[in-house]
Amino acid sequence: MASPLSRRSLLRAAALAAATPAVSLAATGRASAAVEAPQAAVTAAAAAAAPAAWTVQPFALDDVALRPGIFATKRQLMLDHGRGYDVNRLLQVFRANAGLATGGAVAPGGWEGLDGEANGNLRGHYTGHFLSMLAQAYASTGDQVYADRIGTMVGALNDVREALRRDPRMLSVTGKFGTAQENVRGSYQYVDLPSAVLGGASAITLSAWVKPTHNANWARVFDFGNNNTRYMYLVGRNASGVPRFAVTTNGPGAEQGLNGTAALPLNQWSHLAVTIGAGTGTLYVNGTAVATNTSMSLNPAALGTLANNWLGRSNFSGDPVFAGAFDEFNVWSRALTAAEITALQSNRASATSAGRGNLASYDFFETAGGTFADASGRGLTATLRRTWGGPSHPGFLAAYPETQFIELESMTSGDYTKVWAPYYTAHKILKGLLDAHLATDDARALDLASGMCDWMYSRLSKLPDATLQRMWGIFSSGEFGGIVETIVDLHAITGKAEHLALAKLFDLDRLIDACAANTDILDGLHANQHIPIFTGYVRLYDATGESRYLTAAKNFWGMVVPPRMYGIGGTSTAEFWKARGVIAGTISDTNAETCCAHNLLKLSRMLFFHDQDPKYMDYYERALYNQVLGSKQDKADAEKPLVTYFIGLKPGHVRDYTPKQGTTCCEGTGMESSTKYQDSVYFKKADNSALYVNLYSPSTLTWSEKGVTVTQTTDFPREQGSTLTIGGGSAAFELKLRVPSWATGGFKVTVNGSAVSGTPTAGSYFTVSRTWRSGDTVRVTLPFRLRVEKALDDPSLQTLLYGPINLVGRNSSTDYLQLGLYRNAGLSGDLLPSLTPVTGKPLHYTLNGTEFAPFLEGTEDPTHAYFRRSEPRVVFGTTDSGVANPAKSDGTTLLDEIWAGAPFAGKGALVTRVRSTVNAWVTAGLLSQANGATVVRTAEQATYAP
């Protein structure tokens, strides 16, 4: 009998289409207001919500518990990282963009932060990944700490959106004398003064207390001007890092200026003052005159009435906004004396002989609101503003202004220093919020996600189709990641027609049409810009029934796997694809971007829901057990997730687990990969009549619809098999056990100790159908065999695979290792007898003095993923014929052709293969008759492993 499900499960059922495409995130039984519901109602809701096109469905993460093994060990490292990392560091850029206090938090750096690569134009992406990771961690473990962290982040992002929706408001901080206005770095905020502020004075004093928090050059304390030709400014740091005052009516070349002698200290209050009178200008720093110019012919009167009178903003658009605090800004229509300037150091102006500025005087006494009162008596109220104004729609949420999105609409070529994939970043935030909602029922997260889609629709729906096609084709500014998938997932919850319409606005027709026609146009394309697009297009097929989406996705997958796939399951070189079939010709230090593997796994999984072709799960196993596991370093770290960006396949490459300070896209997807290892171990048929066992991984499945559990006990891949035990009750269903394509001999299944009839076929599913009862035990035996895979464009360049595991040589040489493997090959074709096992280290072997180890081990050893095959002489069973191993023009050797006939039933079958192959080669003139006879005789005399 299936147990009653919680309110959380009901919500999951109602939103199954949204929850399951990427990874089901339910936290069954953990909702704060759980209520029981009849099982039939739950099942009906789930069936109604699942896409009709899905013939199989995944289980939620909390339906599958990882048991001890390599996955649980790797996951724990990431769980600990997620538990301990200060999320305020990730929220810093969001809060700063909204002008909110950041609490002294420091963004992690790399791609994530105000000082990140390309002007920090990708900031915010990592926060979305982190939210998804936390959601998966909570769904998998039920540990409240992850839900609490999600709540903190969602609450902060909600505050950020509210702040962005309104005009900026004062951030009151402790000032020099009382309160002060702080412009948080990254807020793009400044104070706008009325045009009459200078009053046409011919003599003037300007005085301000400032507390800079960043050392950017050319950030204005004030700038009064019309443009970059007529202006008067004061900066805390010029190009030399010292204060500068300048005035001009004819641009930078005609500036009359004053330069200080020392940099202003950061995070300390400094007093700056400028006086102009009778042709003399003086710059004061903390009451001391540091520069005097007796030849100043310009003054405010010469400038006239100016349009832009700003504190903290420059009339030069490329200059930074001042980051720091302002206190007591005064303007007098005379040049104060040195003594008067000195008196301002220890008192408010109102308490000195100078008095308040008679042209303008701002005390910043306010503690709220967005305006500042003028105490000069002239009533020149100042207003706090943003340089970019504000969002075009109240749903906008980002860690930077909307300007990147706006500028993309007119771009014709990419420039990531100006626009770096804003919709990609929007996708990460959107998905993090949706995952947060699905894991914790937080309505705020759903509202934020829905609002983001409303905002995107309000922008993109107004653009002509030609503009959209141009935008989405731009590298990398137009990259939008998996946003289509997430929007369709959200639409399954909101039901808003605008959301489905929005998803279709990301159609990249040139790519869809080419792939639908099975025309390969991938050469030269950025790999990860395009892989996640197709997962979204499959979801669009689910939502619309338009077959071109699904056809294009299937054909696209076949253009990558295997024609552009390395042995570890990864793809791409320096983020891009080369020509189809070029593997050896692309080996470098920048192969296999980790994001690509993450997203190909998602696409493979999605396609399997529609078409149970075992090739999709064969690929899933390959990439998961090799690149994805191997991309995570086997080390704990509180600050970094320790995930690779590229995985170099050149000889002697050492994996870098902290590229670009650890906040690239791949660290983000790596966090997600590490907290959903169990997402594809089991699938169920849509009508619950069958259970697919896709991966042999230690785990326990709770199949509530059937009222049973399935527990896998295995140390796979260190164990060549798995035991599945049924628990909980009695249920009839087909158990579909995956027979991997590499399992070419010896795959066996027993139920309760008795062999199951039938002939398992490699690259298929073996079905056992019965009424299962608690205690039933299924034993699967999967013998491994060591084999090679050859580079498509150079058969002599090969990689070793033992069962599903890629074995890599650990050797510091930067030249390809030269290896021979036929010397002691078994009659089965297994090359393993040529290697020597390492005692006490499962899956470790040595050959020619080099240790070979599983790629999945996240070490910093120099590795050789590929080697150069070298079989100079014909050898059988350690017996050397003395005959040179001849080769055809394509590189295929005599031994290659002989052993291609494996497995052999016995020695006689091998000798027969040797004789027929030798005869063919002698006839073709590739081998002399005498040498051929020697080869056959050696084969007859040799002894072979099984």
Side-chain angles (χ1 to χ4, degrees):
M1 193 74 184
S3 60
L5 299 187
S6 70
R7 173 178 171 271
R8 176 71 212 112
S9 293
L10 281 173
L11 289 169
R12 172 165 60 90
L16 183 63
T20 49
V23 54
S24 302
L25 289 174
T28 305
R30 302 186 196 108
S32 58
V35 293
E36 294 186 357
Q39 179 62 43
V42 174
T43 303
W54 289 9
T55 48
V56 301
Q57 300 169 4
F59 290 92
L61 283 182
D62 65 342
D63 289 334
V64 183
L66 285 181
R67 306 182 73 225
I70 56 174
F71 289 112
T73 299
K74 290 266 189 180
R75 183 182 70 172
Q76 191 60 50
L77 293 170
M78 196 63 74
L79 290 175
D80 291 344
H81 174 72
R83 172 189 290 271
Y85 193 82
D86 182 4
V87 296
N88 288 299
R89 297 183 63 188
L90 302 175
L91 295 167
Q92 187 261 350
V93 289
F94 287 89
R95 287 169 166 152
N97 188 48
L100 299 175
T102 61
V106 178
W111 286 3
E112 189 63 38
L114 299 173
D115 294 312
E117 187 173 342
N119 305 309
N121 279 346
L122 208 66
R123 60 186 181 272
H125 81 111
Y126 198 73
T127 302
H129 286 299
F130 204 89
L131 264 175
S132 291
M133 179 267 286
L134 291 176
Q136 292 171 180
Y138 178 55
S140 295
T141 68
D143 191 333
Q144 186 62 33
V145 68
Y146 301 113
D148 292 343
R149 312 202 95 207
I150 290 169
T152 296
M153 296 181 74
V154 170
L157 293 175
N158 192 66
D159 291 344
V160 165
R161 187 182 66 174
E162 291 306 307
L164 289 170
R165 283 178 166 182
R166 62 179 186 249
D167 290 334
R169 296 182 183 178
M170 181 183 189
L171 181 57
S172 180
V173 297
T174 301
K176 176 65 178 177
F177 297 114
T179 58
Q181 154 61 21
E182 181 178 15
N183 289 341
V184 174
R185 182 161 178 261
S187 67
Y188 299 89
Q189 291 183 174
Y190 67 100
V191 179
D192 188 18
L193 308 180
S195 59
V197 65
L198 297 180
S202 58
I204 198 165
T205 298
L206 303 104
S207 163
W209 282 97
V210 293
K211 184 180 182 181
T213 56
H214 189 252
N215 60 359
N217 294 341
W218 300 114
R220 302 309 200 248
V221 174
F222 62 74
D223 194 339
F224 304 122
N226 283 340
N227 44 43
N228 54 16
T229 300
R230 179 179 294 267
Y231 53 78
M232 179 176 70
Y233 69 75
L234 175 64
V235 297
R237 296 176 64 93
N238 64 2
S240 300
V242 298
R244 173 175 172 78
F245 170 82
V247 58
T248 182
T249 57
N250 198 28
E255 287 184 358
Q256 298 178 9
L258 297 159
N259 290 318
T261 57
L264 297 182
L266 297 182
N267 302 307
Q268 294 182 30
W269 285 104
S270 294
H271 186 262
L272 297 174
V274 176
T275 64
I276 300 177
T280 297
T282 304
L283 172 63
Y284 294 87
V285 177
N286 293 324
T288 299
V290 295
T292 300
N293 184 340
T294 59
S295 303
M296 296 192 71
S297 59
L298 295 176
N299 56 50
L303 295 175
T305 301
L306 301 171
N308 305 325
N309 300 282
W310 299 326
L311 302 183
R313 180 180 179 183
S314 172
N315 275 285
F316 288 78
S317 60
D319 288 338
V321 177
F322 178 82
F326 288 94
D327 196 1
E328 199 173 53
F329 178 72
N330 285 282
V331 184
W332 292 267
S333 59
R334 65 184 181 87
L336 267 60
T337 66
E340 289 175 315
I341 298 294
T342 299
L344 294 174
Q345 307 310 297
S346 55
N347 295 282
R348 288 192 176 279
S350 59
T352 69
S353 59
R356 295 184 181 278
N358 65 315
L359 293 180
S361 181
Y362 302 98
D363 288 315
F364 299 107
F365 283 154
E366 296 80 2
T367 58
T371 59
F372 305 99
D374 171 29
S376 71
R378 301 178 69 207
L380 302 180
T381 301
T383 305
L384 189 63
R385 303 192 190 280
R386 299 187 189 98
T387 61
W388 56 284
S392 64
H393 185 280
F396 174 77
L397 177 64
Y400 46 69
E402 198 174 355
T403 48
Q404 280 202 70
F405 298 92
I406 296 168
E407 190 168 348
L408 175 61
E409 294 169 7
S410 60
M411 291 183 76
T412 57
S413 61
D415 182 349
Y416 84 135
T417 65
K418 295 179 180 177
V419 177
W420 191 2
Y423 284 97
Y424 174 94
T425 302
H427 164 243
K428 302 311 169 192
I429 300 166
L430 179 68
K431 185 175 188 301
L433 290 168
L434 181 57
D435 288 346
H437 168 69
L438 292 170
T440 67
D441 301 337
D442 194 324
R444 298 171 302 172
L446 179 61
D447 184 58
L448 287 166
S450 183
M452 285 186 71
C453 287
D454 293 343
W455 154 68
M456 284 187 278
Y457 183 74
S458 74
R459 288 210 69 84
L460 297 178
S461 63
K462 295 180 175 65
L463 299 177
D465 183 64
T467 299
L468 294 171
Q469 296 298 321
R470 172 176 47 76
M471 287 165 56
W472 307 144
I474 298 174
F475 167 78
S476 63
S477 302
E479 183 175 358
F480 56 79
I483 200 166
V484 175
E485 175 193 2
T486 305
I487 294 170
V488 178
D489 292 351
L490 180 72
H491 169 258
I493 297 175
T494 67
K496 284 188 175 183
E498 295 87 355
H499 291 170
L500 185 57
L502 170 64
K504 290 177 65 64
L505 293 175
F506 289 91
D507 280 6
L508 183 53
D509 288 332
R510 175 176 176 268
L511 182 68
I512 297 171
D513 293 344
C515 290
N518 209 17
T519 301
D520 190 331
I521 62 168
L522 303 189
D523 187 5
L525 292 184
H526 181 257
N528 199 53
Q529 183 166 348
H530 296 87
I531 297 170
I533 291 177
F534 283 94
T535 306
Y537 290 158
V538 177
R539 291 291 289 121
L540 268 178
Y541 165 76
D542 295 336
T544 67
E546 295 183 35
S547 60
R548 74 176 188 131
Y549 291 124
L550 182 60
T551 301
K554 287 184 175 182
N555 290 340
F556 166 80
W557 190 92
M559 295 171 191
V560 180
V561 182
R564 294 178 171 90
M565 181 193 74
Y566 301 108
I568 59 173
T571 186
S572 78
T573 298
E575 299 192 4
F576 288 82
W577 280 310
K578 304 299 182 183
R580 185 186 186 105
V582 178
I583 300 298
T586 61
I587 298 295
S588 74
D589 283 328
T590 58
N591 294 126
E593 183 186 1
T594 303
C595 273
C596 294
H598 171 88
N599 284 311
L600 273 174
L601 288 181
K602 292 182 66 176
L603 178 59
S604 301
R605 184 175 189 265
M606 183 72 69
L607 289 172
F608 192 86
F609 296 156
H610 298 80
D611 176 4
Q612 286 74 64
D613 190 325
K615 69 182 181 183
Y616 296 126
M617 285 298 112
D618 269 343
Y619 173 78
Y620 200 98
E621 177 187 63
R622 175 194 294 263
L624 180 65
Y625 274 91
N626 293 292
Q627 173 154 8
V628 171
L629 279 178
S631 67
K632 173 72 184 85
Q633 189 173 16
D634 298 331
K635 188 172 80 173
D637 194 290
E639 292 297 305
K640 303 288 189 294
L642 299 182
V643 176
T644 57
Y645 179 11
F646 296 123
I647 293 180
L649 300 179
K650 284 182 67 175
H653 180 81
V654 177
R655 289 174 224 170
D656 180 2
Y657 298 96
T658 53
K660 299 178 183 290
Q661 300 182 60
T663 56
T664 67
C665 50
C666 294
E667 278 81 11
T669 55
M671 289 190 295
E672 295 183 42
S673 291
S674 296
T675 47
K676 66 178 184 70
Y677 288 136
Q678 74 269 41
D679 76 340
S680 297
V681 176
Y682 309 98
F683 294 152
K684 58 186 175 181
K685 206 165 183 179
D687 62 1
N688 286 299
S689 64
L691 177 69
Y692 287 79
V693 180
N694 303 310
L695 301 172
Y696 297 100
S697 174
S699 56
T700 296
L701 165 69
T702 300
W703 192 1
S704 57
E705 292 90 348
K706 287 293 188 181
V708 299
T709 61
V710 179
T711 297
Q712 268 201 80
T713 304
T714 180
D715 195 26
F716 189 91
R718 291 181 285 252
E719 176 185 352
Q720 298 181 21
S722 184
T723 300
L724 293 88
T725 304
I726 308 299
S730 175
F733 59 89
E734 294 180 338
L735 184 65
K736 291 185 172 291
L737 302 164
R738 182 172 149 268
V739 186
S741 59
W742 49 263
T744 54
F747 184 97
K748 297 177 182 177
V749 179
T750 64
V751 175
N752 298 329
S754 299
V756 178
S757 61
T759 303
T761 302
S764 69
Y765 280 82
F766 184 74
T767 301
V768 182
S769 182
R770 59 183 276 143
T771 297
W772 301 93
R773 292 176 174 81
S774 183
D776 282 349
T777 300
V778 179
R779 176 64 189 171
V780 181
T781 303
L782 301 98
F784 290 7
R785 182 170 66 87
L786 185 68
R787 67 194 189 281
V788 297
E789 284 189 359
K790 303 173 182 178
L792 299 177
D793 52 334
D794 182 354
S796 73
L797 195 68
Q798 302 178 359
T799 188
L800 279 178
L801 288 112
Y802 185 46
I805 303 304
N806 190 214
L807 296 179
V808 295
R810 291 179 175 172
N811 191 305
S812 61
S813 172
T814 55
D815 295 323
Y816 283 114
L817 300 176
Q818 306 279 327
L819 300 179
L821 295 167
Y822 289 135
R823 173 173 295 274
N824 201 29
L827 292 171
S828 64
D830 192 348
L831 301 173
L832 188 64
S834 293
L835 280 65
T836 302
V838 178
T839 303
K841 296 176 72 175
L843 300 176
H844 285 242
Y845 303 89
T846 59
L847 177 64
N848 295 350
T850 294
E851 182 176 4
F852 284 80
F855 185 94
L856 63 84
E857 294 182 355
T859 72
E860 293 178 291
D861 295 295
T863 59
H864 289 246
Y866 282 86
F867 63 91
R868 189 69 68 185
R869 189 66 175 269
S870 177
E871 307 280 358
R873 292 189 306 280
V874 177
V875 180
F876 293 106
T878 72
T879 303
D880 192 334
S881 70
V883 175
N885 184 24
K888 293 180 177 180
S889 59
D890 66 357
T892 301
T893 70
L894 175 66
L895 284 174
D896 288 335
E897 199 157 295
I898 290 170
W899 284 103
F904 300 108
K907 177 177 177 178
L910 170 60
V911 172
T912 298
R913 173 75 176 191
V914 171
R915 187 175 289 113
S916 63
T917 304
V918 163
N919 289 339
W921 281 57
V922 170
T923 300
L926 299 171
L927 183 68
S928 70
Q929 192 164 1
N931 283 342
T934 300
V935 168
V936 173
R937 187 167 55 254
T938 303
E940 292 171 336
Q941 295 172 349
T943 301
Y944 302 92

